Amino acid sequence: MNITVRRLALAALLAAGFPAMAQSLNKVDPQHLYEHWILINHQVDIDVPNSARGVNRPGCASVSYMIGSDGVPRDLKVEKVVPQGDFGQIAMSAVSNFRYGPSLSNKNHDPVATYYTVPFNAPSDPAGQQKVMAPCRLSGYAH
């Protein structure tokens, strides 16, 4: 086989493997993420547009993403925003700056899919925060 044919064959094998890998990706809810990955930076920079819409009201935005084997979020997607406005853009800015370290049970640095819900203008008490964040909960993530 010449080099060009080998490269094409390798590219075809890799392309065929990616959809299977994406389908088998472990989807973990945020409450159990610590079993796989641990957030190592608890303060992140965020971008807030100067003329953001609807950011003065209580609300939430959920961003889904994959944590790669290097602990960096990938494939970010705004899934829910309540109420409508620019919360999604701001939440994505925050999540994109997260960095994770593997938990002790994740010695192979296995990637997982998860999501993060960012509360906005929520009360300081945990019950009030949960009430604001509840509409942005995503289904389909196991623990």
Side-chain angles (χ1 to χ4, degrees):
M1 257 186 199
N2 67 32
I3 293 175
T4 304
V5 172
R6 284 185 188 166
R7 286 184 183 161
L8 288 174
L10 179 60
L13 287 172
L14 289 174
F18 284 127
M21 188 171 75
Q23 291 172 356
S24 66
L25 193 62
N26 193 10
K27 291 178 80 172
V28 178
D29 71 13
Q31 293 78 20
H32 294 91
L33 184 59
Y34 70 91
E35 296 170 8
H36 305 271
W37 291 95
I38 298 166
L39 185 64
I40 55 176
N41 61 335
H42 294 278
Q43 293 185 346
V44 295
D45 292 328
I46 59 170
D47 294 325
V48 179
N50 289 335
S51 59
R53 293 177 300 123
V55 295
N56 294 328
R57 303 177 286 185
C60 59
S62 288
V63 176
S64 65
Y65 55 102
M66 177 195 70
I67 301 172
S69 59
D70 58 358
V72 176
R74 296 177 175 14
D75 305 327
L76 284 77
K77 180 180 177 189
V78 175
E79 298 284 351
K80 285 188 180 180
V81 179
V82 177
Q84 291 299 317
D86 290 329
F87 287 145
Q89 177 183 351
I90 298 165
M92 187 167 323
S93 168
V95 173
S96 70
N97 290 311
F98 287 175
R99 296 300 177 263
Y100 292 90
S103 69
L104 293 176
S105 63
N106 189 5
K107 293 177 182 161
N108 294 330
H109 298 213
D110 295 327
V112 298
T114 191
Y115 72 95
Y116 190 84
T117 301
V118 180
F120 294 92
N121 305 313
S124 58
D125 67 287
Q129 287 183 4
Q130 288 302 317
K131 185 177 179 182
V132 168
M133 293 170 46
C136 291
R137 187 171 294 123
L138 300 181
S139 61
Y141 290 83
H143 54 271

